[in-house]
Amino acid sequence: MMTYFIVFALLIALELCYFKIADHFNIIDKPNERSSHSTIVLRGGGIIFAISMVIWSLTPFPSPTGEGSIMLIAEYWPFMLGLILIAGVSFIDDVHSLPDSLRMVVQIASILLMFWSIGLFGIDLSWWLRALIVVIALFFCVGATNIINFMDGINGITAGYGLAMLLPIALLNRNMGFVEESYLIVAILGLLVFSLFNFRPKGKAKCFAGDVGSIGIAFIILFALGKLMLATQDVTYIVFFLVYGIDGSLTIFHRIMLHENLGQAHRKHAYQLMANELKMSHVTVSLLYMAMQLVVSLGFIYLCPNTVLAHWIYLIGAGIVLAVAYVLFKMKYYHLHEEYLASLETK
C-alpha cells in the first residue's frame, strides 16, 4: 500500500511539472466554434497515463510469487515499447499537427507490438485463421482507439469512462489473474491524478488530456481487455466498451449520411449535444456516461449467466437498447445543433 501511495504522490508531482513545461512552451488548447469549452486550457495533461505505466514497469511491486515485478514483466516490454511509441507521436501531434498517414502507421505498429505482449501471435491455430484473427483484432483496436480519442471532448469524460472500463476488468482480474494486478492499480492511479485537474465543472479544468492522453489510455485499457479476452476465449467482453462504441460508431454513420468530411472537427456526439445545446454541466454528462457503462459492465459480470449464449444475448440486447436510446435522443434534440450551425453561417 505504501508503494502505491508513493506512486500516486509521484504522479501528482510529475503532472504539476508537466504543467510548468506546457505553460512555458505554450502547449495550449484554444477554443473555437467546434469546442465545448470557452477558455484557454493546457493541453497534453493525459501524458500522465503513459508516465504512470513507465513508472509501473520500473517499480518492483510485490507479487503472489514473491518476486519483484521487474522479473515478471518481460512479456510486457513489447507493449511498453508500443505505448511509448504511440504516446510519443500523439504528443508531438498535440504540439504540431502530423499527417494522418503517419499517425495511422504508428498506431498499427504499436498495436501489433501490443498483440505480441498479449500473445495473440502464438495462439494454437492454423496460420490463416491466426492471421484472420489478428486482422480483425487490429481493425477493432484501431477503431476503438480513435473512438476513445473522438469522445474526448468535455471535462472528465476520458477519466470517468476510463475508470468505468478499468474497474470491472480489475474486479474480474482478482479471481482470474490474466494481468498483473499492479498494472491495473497504477493505471487507475494515473486516471485519478488526471481527474484532480480535469474532472471539474465546465470551463474550470486545469488541463485537457490531448491525443497523448486519450490515445494513451485507450492503448492501456485495450491491452488489459485483450489479455482478458485471450484468457477467457470470449470476445463478448467488448461489452466493457459498449457505450462509447455505440455513440462513436452511430455518430460516424450519421455524419456519413450527412456527407460530411469525417476528418473535420464536429459537435455531433450525443454527449456534445448534452453539454452544448442542452447546457448540461460537463461533470454531469461525464458521470452519466461513466454510470451507464458501469451498469452495463456490472450487469454483464454479476447478472448475466456465464455461458457463451447468454453473453452474446446480453451484448446484443444491451447494444440494441443503447442504439435505440441514441437514435431517440438525436431525433428529439438534433434540431438544436442544426440551429447552432445555422447561427454560425449568419455571423
Side-chain angles (χ1 to χ4, degrees), residues 1 20 35 66 89 99 123 135 182 207 225 340:
M1 185 63 68
K20 295 289 186 181
S35 302
V89 169
I123 54 178
V135 170
S182 57
C207 68
L225 189 59
Y340 162 76

Side-chain angles (χ1 to χ4, degrees), residues 1-12 52 55-63 67-70 181-183 185-187 189-190 193:
M1 185 63 68
M2 180 56 67
T3 304
Y4 291 122
F5 178 79
I6 293 172
V7 169
F8 184 72
L10 179 59
L11 290 175
I12 292 177
S52 69
I55 292 175
W56 169 78
S57 71
L58 299 175
T59 303
F61 291 99
S63 69
E67 300 178 51
S69 69
I70 290 179
E181 184 178 47
S182 57
Y183 172 94
I185 294 175
V186 172
L189 290 179
V193 168

